[in-house]
Amino acid sequence: MLNRRKVIITGSSKGIGKSIAFKFAKNKFDIFLISSSENNLKKTSTDLKKKFNTNIDYCPVNLKTEEGCSFAIDQIKKRFNNFDTIIFCAGDTKSGEFLSQPISDYFDGFSLKFYSVVRLTRGLWKDLKKNKGWIVTINGGMAHSPDPNFMVGGSVNAALQNFSKALSKKGVIDGVNVNTINPGMTSTERLTNIIRTNAKREN
């Protein structure tokens, strides 16, 4: 039995991930924040420490790369041992018109939102199994509602949905609870940018 709950949150320096961090901090979880922006992580960490009496640590890293994921796993094992929960919230897939959108957007989307989940899960599964822990992936409604202007995000979300469902069945065997949340439209900076981009494209 763990004395104090400890949660890792990727994509936690802004948007939904940041809001999740505040909720867990309010409930006195120790938190390990992961994002690509060191400045945003510093600000979020400072804001959390000012408001809540809990332990906050963070790691700025590019989860799009294998090296970045390996670094994150190493830092978690060294600095945040005996954790029991991971919330995967990193993901910034790009919208666009199918014929003109660069193919690199697909690679970029899968690198961050899909492969980082696969890599971090593989690297940290033994710890989650030991502590009978939890994984939650914050995915998206486009996993089951395709949109011609959001084909990158829809494809990535569908893959992540399938992976998470399969992983949940392994979790039943190993005692790890795995779930996916597909939130609808949520008022974040990213949503605002997507709406502006679509509005400009559609005149």
Side-chain angles (χ1 to χ4, degrees):
M1 184 71 179
L2 298 174
N3 293 323
R4 189 176 179 96
R5 298 289 302 279
K6 301 176 74 171
V7 58
I8 300 159
I9 310 172
T10 71
S12 48
S13 68
K14 60 181 181 180
I16 294 174
K18 183 176 180 178
S19 295
I20 290 171
F22 271 79
K23 189 69 174 180
F24 276 113
K26 183 179 180 180
N27 286 279
K28 300 189 182 340
F29 278 57
D30 291 341
I31 300 173
F32 193 86
L33 307 168
I34 299 176
S35 173
S36 60
S37 172
E38 184 168 8
N39 288 336
N40 288 345
L41 282 172
K42 282 182 179 178
K43 184 179 185 309
T44 299
S45 177
T46 300
D47 292 345
L48 287 168
K49 288 176 180 178
K50 284 180 180 178
K51 194 167 185 179
F52 304 108
N53 182 26
T54 191
N55 300 312
I56 309 293
D57 200 356
Y58 65 85
C59 176
V61 66
N62 181 9
L63 293 178
K64 293 179 182 180
T65 68
E66 183 177 357
E67 294 77 15
C69 290
S70 295
F71 179 77
I73 291 167
D74 181 66
Q75 292 301 300
I76 290 165
K77 290 179 178 292
K78 287 180 178 177
R79 296 158 50 192
F80 205 66
N81 189 39
N82 214 30
F83 63 90
D84 63 287
T85 303
I86 306 177
I87 311 294
F88 289 111
C89 202
D92 190 17
T93 52
K94 298 179 177 67
S95 63
E97 197 279 324
F98 175 59
L99 295 178
S100 60
Q101 187 170 13
I103 194 72
S104 58
D105 284 359
Y106 286 84
F107 291 105
D108 186 75
F110 273 96
S111 293
L112 179 58
K113 193 166 185 178
F114 181 79
Y115 286 115
S116 71
V117 174
V118 175
R119 287 166 172 155
L120 265 63
T121 299
R122 283 169 62 97
L124 300 171
W125 186 261
K126 288 182 180 178
D127 302 84
L128 290 165
K129 181 179 178 180
K130 179 188 70 174
N131 290 325
K132 303 299 180 184
W134 292 263
I135 290 177
V136 178
T137 56
I138 308 299
N139 198 3
M142 294 298 175
H144 47 71
S145 300
D147 185 311
N149 291 317
F150 202 67
M151 294 175 76
V152 175
S155 299
V156 174
N157 290 357
L160 184 58
Q161 188 90 347
N162 188 288
F163 172 79
S164 299
K165 183 66 176 178
L167 188 67
S168 73
K169 295 182 178 182
K170 177 171 178 55
V172 170
I173 299 169
D174 289 350
V176 180
N177 190 303
V178 181
N179 283 282
T180 301
I181 296 174
N182 293 318
M185 281 196 175
T186 306
S187 182
T188 62
E189 180 183 336
R190 179 168 180 264
L191 178 63
T192 302
N193 290 335
I194 289 174
I195 291 172
R196 285 175 176 162
T197 299
N198 289 345
K200 182 178 179 180
R201 180 174 54 245
E202 295 169 14
N203 197 28

